[in-house]
Amino acid sequence: MPDAAPRAFEVRHLQMGRALFAAIAAVMITFSGDHSAQVGGAVFSGFAVATGLILLLSAWLVFRTGERSQALLLGILTLVAGMIATLPAARTVDGFFTVVLVWALVAGAAELVIGIIGRRRGTPAAGESVFVGALTIVLGLALLFVPRGYTLDYYIDQAQQSFTLTGITIGVGVFGGYAAIVAVYLGIAAFSPRPAAVPAVETADTDAAGGRT
């Protein structure tokens, strides 16, 4: 039996939640002077666990029966990645790159496919899924090409201080940039006006009337 009950929450509320936690992750990385694997792993784990829970809750609060599998899939993939990132072994340089890279490629591909299928079916926010899915895949590919053992010592005259640029610093920064773009994009999408959906009963009545003429 189809689930025809009205929903208190819409897709825009899901986008708001995802944008919020992506923004928090971006701010934490941007304003942190420590871009180590421990900090990067902690920020990613919090982002992924929160995002995964929002996706899982949206399966019942936003989507109807028959439409929940996609949110459940993305929620499980993201939640599992976040939980793995809490393990001590994942708070190393190799652990951070491996967990975030695998999550980005797998979850990104899943969301991209979901968005493409949704576009063909006219699903709301399918375009946003395509963009975020593709961007997540780009994150994974970018991390794939970051040399994990890279080290560069440099000196800034104005600060009169030496600094060291490492592979993990770049990797954590790339994730922070990804989170910032996701936050801005989904935030704009959530507050953008959407065309009103045509009720199914009204559409059926219109079709029937057209058939009688």
Side-chain angles (χ1 to χ4, degrees):
M1 181 177 180
D3 184 5
R7 296 296 177 192
F9 296 93
E10 303 175 3
V11 173
R12 69 172 68 251
H13 296 109
L14 169 60
Q15 293 173 335
M16 289 179 192
R18 294 184 65 180
L20 173 63
F21 289 110
I24 293 174
V27 169
M28 292 180 67
I29 290 177
T30 300
F31 292 98
S32 173
D34 183 0
H35 283 185
S36 63
Q38 291 78 12
V39 172
V43 174
F44 172 77
S45 65
F47 158 80
V49 169
T51 302
L53 290 176
I54 288 231
L55 286 165
L56 292 177
L57 287 174
S58 73
W60 282 270
L61 298 178
V62 175
F63 300 102
R64 302 179 186 277
T65 303
E67 302 175 347
R68 295 170 176 164
S69 59
Q70 299 170 346
L72 288 173
L73 173 61
L74 288 178
I76 291 173
L77 290 174
T78 306
L79 180 61
V80 169
M83 294 177 66
I84 292 176
T86 63
L87 300 176
R91 297 295 173 88
T92 63
V93 173
D94 288 337
F96 173 84
F97 275 97
T98 301
V99 173
V100 180
L101 190 155
V102 172
W103 166 79
L105 294 179
V106 175
E111 187 158 12
L112 178 60
V113 172
I114 288 171
I116 293 174
I117 295 175
R119 271 189 169 180
R120 295 174 180 174
R121 297 177 177 176
T123 304
E128 286 84 350
S129 295
V130 170
F131 179 85
V132 175
L135 183 65
T136 307
I137 293 175
V138 171
L139 168 64
L141 294 176
L143 293 177
L144 186 63
F145 288 100
V146 173
R148 303 182 184 186
Y150 178 79
T151 301
L152 173 65
D153 296 321
Y154 61 96
Y155 183 83
I156 298 180
D157 293 333
Q158 291 82 354
Q160 296 184 350
Q161 187 176 355
S162 297
F163 298 90
T164 301
L165 178 65
T166 63
I168 187 61
T169 302
I170 298 173
V172 173
V174 168
F175 170 68
Y178 159 83
I181 297 174
V182 170
V184 172
Y185 185 84
L186 290 182
I188 294 174
F191 289 99
S192 297
R194 298 180 184 278
V198 179
V201 175
E202 179 181 337
T203 303
D205 292 342
T206 303
D207 293 341
R212 290 194 297 268
T213 58

